[in-house]
Amino acid sequence: MTDRRQAHSAEETAGSWELLTNGELSREEQALLRALAEGDDGDALRLEAHLPLDASFRERMTDQLEAGLAEAARRRRRRITRMAATTTIFAAAAGLLLILQPPAVQVPAYALAIEGQVATTRGADDPARPVHLDPDSVLDIRLTPASRVRTALTLSAFLERDGRAVPWAVPVQRASSGAFRIQGGVLELLQRKYGVWNAIFVIAPSTVTEPPADGAHSSDLTVLRTTLHYDAPAAP
Amino acid sequence: MLDDPRDMIERALSGQRTALRELVDVLTPPIQARVARVLIRTGGARRGHVRADVEDIVQQVLGSLFADAGRILRNWDQARGLSLAQYVALIAEREAISILRSKRRSPYTEAATDSEVLEARASTMTPPDSDVLTRQMTGTLLSRLRTTLSPLGVRVFELLFCDEQSPEDVCEQLGMSADALYAWRTRIRKAAREVATELSNERREWVQL
């Protein structure tokens, strides 16, 4: 079969749902799929799965991949430095020390995204921008790793004000990719603790009882911070 | 499609953000299409959750393509016969099956599906009619739907489904009551389903001859 015939055949047999994802259907063709989806559960499922992932998803992916590539470059540099160090006369002693210690778990960089009925949403790239909440808001916090996590990590959450941090008991879900998610009504998650809070998320191989000092750096944990403005409901 | 995909891949992997964003735009549709198909054919998709599941698996596939300094992406060689889109779709299919096989129907739940059950579903399930709806069939279906509906029905179809206008706006434009519009909506849905089934049956007969 010639290339042209192959291409023609592929065009004819490409599923319309797939063409919808690729943005290759006309408005009328898309309308037909929507009409089919209204009358059938299976087609409703197909429509939900195939509607193209939007620009915000792609932007988030770009952020994560960029962070992952930067993290990998840092690791490569660290490896090179470490290799250089092993050429010194202390190489044998250092090697022995490494053997005696358990292998360190590398915690990747994470991106923080807050969505829901909040006035402001933001990603990890502008941590200074606060999030405004009210008791009727629904909070959906996602922490996604820059690279796939192969070891079990835990998420510890804290609320900090006036330099004092307290553990934040929130329901945490974990995805197989290593992503974490906290989801729920603001009233349920923050009760009536109105005011400005620094929310701190610590991802580490095991639960931590208090967050590290702001600015402290460690390769075996990742810390993300954001400011929550939780407004009391207006008086009737 | 990209002018020079290999050059774009190298620039993206070197950390150039614009190249990275462009590559994400190119890779996302074929990955999503394949992930969606695997989720639906294996019965791993659930209403209200499928969107989040698709997003999570697409994210994982993108992560695996860029892992180890983009080893999988760099392994792509057009000379072997697959375009970049076809290549990543193939990777996406394998990754999606592997994720579902790892006993997680949804990335955020621990509800298990036996791998044997999953494999059996993937290999023996007959795709539902509209799962194999091709562009050619969609065109035929549209023209049959137009001949089935009255001019008013076609107008309602255009306003409600093509323009996605709100029912209130459509009622106002056509001077129609909400009940009458609801009846039209139901009639259009039913007609679309009927012509889809009719077309699908004809297609089966052709195959059997």
Side-chain angles (χ1 to χ4, degrees):
Chain A
M1 194 184 268
T2 65
D3 285 351
R4 188 182 291 182
R5 282 179 63 196
Q6 272 177 342
H8 178 66
S9 170
E11 165 67 17
E12 270 186 353
T13 56
S16 286
W17 297 104
E18 193 173 325
L19 295 171
L20 172 70
T21 306
N22 292 341
E24 293 172 21
L25 289 185
S26 68
R27 276 174 60 248
E28 207 177 24
E29 287 166 334
Q30 290 178 40
L32 177 69
L33 294 185
R34 276 195 292 275
L36 285 171
E38 280 201 4
D40 182 85
D41 281 350
D43 285 340
L45 203 57
R46 277 179 208 106
L47 184 70
E48 197 181 329
H50 283 277
L51 277 174
L53 292 168
D54 61 11
S56 72
F57 173 84
R58 294 172 189 206
E59 198 60 27
R60 212 163 66 229
M61 286 302 97
T62 308
D63 287 345
Q64 282 176 29
L65 293 170
E66 193 178 30
L69 290 169
E71 177 71 21
R74 268 197 300 277
R75 280 185 195 165
R76 269 199 302 279
R77 280 197 297 274
R78 273 204 297 266
R79 249 200 321 270
I80 291 166
T81 310
R82 213 177 291 147
M83 279 166 68
T86 55
T87 61
T88 69
I89 56 172
F90 301 108
L96 183 63
L97 198 63
L98 281 172
I99 291 165
L100 292 174
Q101 287 180 343
V105 175
Q106 294 285 346
V107 180
Y110 270 72
L112 174 66
I114 302 184
E115 289 175 24
Q117 292 172 35
V118 290
T120 312
T121 58
R122 62 167 196 78
D125 52 339
D126 61 344
R129 200 189 295 172
V131 176
H132 289 269
L133 305 168
D134 62 46
D136 296 326
S137 304
V138 174
L139 202 50
D140 188 353
I141 302 172
R142 288 181 188 229
L143 300 102
T144 33
S147 55
R148 194 162 182 188
V149 176
R150 303 203 182 273
T151 51
L153 297 176
T154 62
L155 171 69
S156 307
F158 301 90
L159 287 175
E160 183 193 60
R161 185 148 65 186
D162 302 328
R164 188 170 164 265
V166 291
W168 186 16
V170 282
V172 177
Q173 295 170 285
R174 186 183 185 279
S176 55
S177 61
F180 292 99
R181 188 177 189 184
I182 296 166
Q183 193 184 24
V186 168
L187 201 57
E188 175 200 345
L189 298 175
L190 286 167
Q191 288 91 45
R192 297 184 196 281
K193 298 170 189 164
Y194 303 118
V196 180
W197 291 96
N198 291 321
I200 306 170
F201 304 98
V202 183
I203 297 145
S206 56
T207 307
V208 297
T209 52
E210 58 183 37
D214 199 1
H217 177 75
S218 170
S219 65
D220 59 1
L221 52 83
T222 292
V223 183
L224 295 119
R225 294 166 186 269
T226 189
T227 307
L228 305 176
H229 287 243
Y230 183 23
D231 304 322
Chain B
M1 199 61 189
L2 302 170
D3 292 337
D4 184 353
R6 187 148 287 284
D7 176 54
M8 179 64 63
I9 289 169
E10 288 308 323
R11 284 191 292 124
L13 290 172
S14 73
Q16 285 185 32
R17 188 174 170 93
T18 46
L20 189 56
R21 176 58 209 262
E22 216 169 312
L23 193 55
V24 167
D25 281 342
V26 168
L27 299 182
T28 300
I31 295 174
Q32 185 195 348
R34 198 55 65 92
V35 166
R37 197 164 79 181
V38 169
L39 269 171
I40 287 162
R41 287 198 175 174
T42 57
R46 295 159 302 142
R47 285 285 295 275
H49 297 273
V50 68
R51 192 87 187 145
D53 289 349
V54 167
E55 279 193 13
D56 279 316
I57 299 177
V58 171
Q59 179 193 327
Q60 291 182 39
V61 173
L62 279 169
S64 68
L65 289 173
F66 282 81
D68 300 330
R71 186 178 50 81
I72 297 177
L73 273 177
R74 285 191 165 119
N75 277 346
W76 169 66
D77 181 0
Q78 194 154 20
R80 290 184 193 160
L82 289 181
S83 69
L84 181 60
Q86 290 168 327
Y87 175 73
V88 296
L90 190 69
I91 303 285
E93 181 164 336
R94 289 180 185 164
E95 187 83 3
I97 289 174
S98 157
I99 289 165
L100 292 172
R101 196 184 283 154
S102 67
K103 292 185 182 280
R104 284 181 183 86
R105 284 182 58 132
S106 154
Y108 283 104
T109 65
E110 293 299 320
T113 302
D114 284 342
S115 54
E116 294 79 9
V117 173
L118 194 67
E119 302 222 349
R121 275 188 205 157
S123 60
T124 61
M125 261 184 71
T126 307
D129 290 345
S130 78
D131 196 26
V132 290
L133 191 66
T134 63
R135 162 163 266 166
Q136 198 181 43
M137 288 166 72
T138 305
T140 312
L141 218 155
L142 266 173
S143 58
R144 284 198 196 174
L145 183 65
R146 281 183 174 282
T147 54
T148 306
L149 297 171
S150 68
L152 180 59
V154 171
R155 186 73 190 125
V156 173
F157 172 73
E158 284 169 351
L159 294 174
L160 268 185
F161 294 97
C162 292
D163 300 344
E164 294 186 84
Q165 291 192 25
S166 70
E168 293 76 21
D169 288 348
V170 178
C171 283
E172 198 181 317
Q173 276 186 61
L174 301 179
M176 194 181 268
S177 71
D179 285 346
L181 184 69
Y182 181 80
W184 266 115
R185 190 172 201 139
T186 310
R187 220 171 288 153
I188 291 167
R189 276 199 314 241
K190 206 174 150 200
R193 175 62 41 201
E194 276 170 7
V195 285
T197 308
E198 191 180 279
L199 201 63
S200 177
N201 289 341
E202 286 173 14
R203 193 169 165 271
R204 263 193 221 110
E205 284 164 22
W206 293 338
V207 171
Q208 283 164 5
L209 282 176

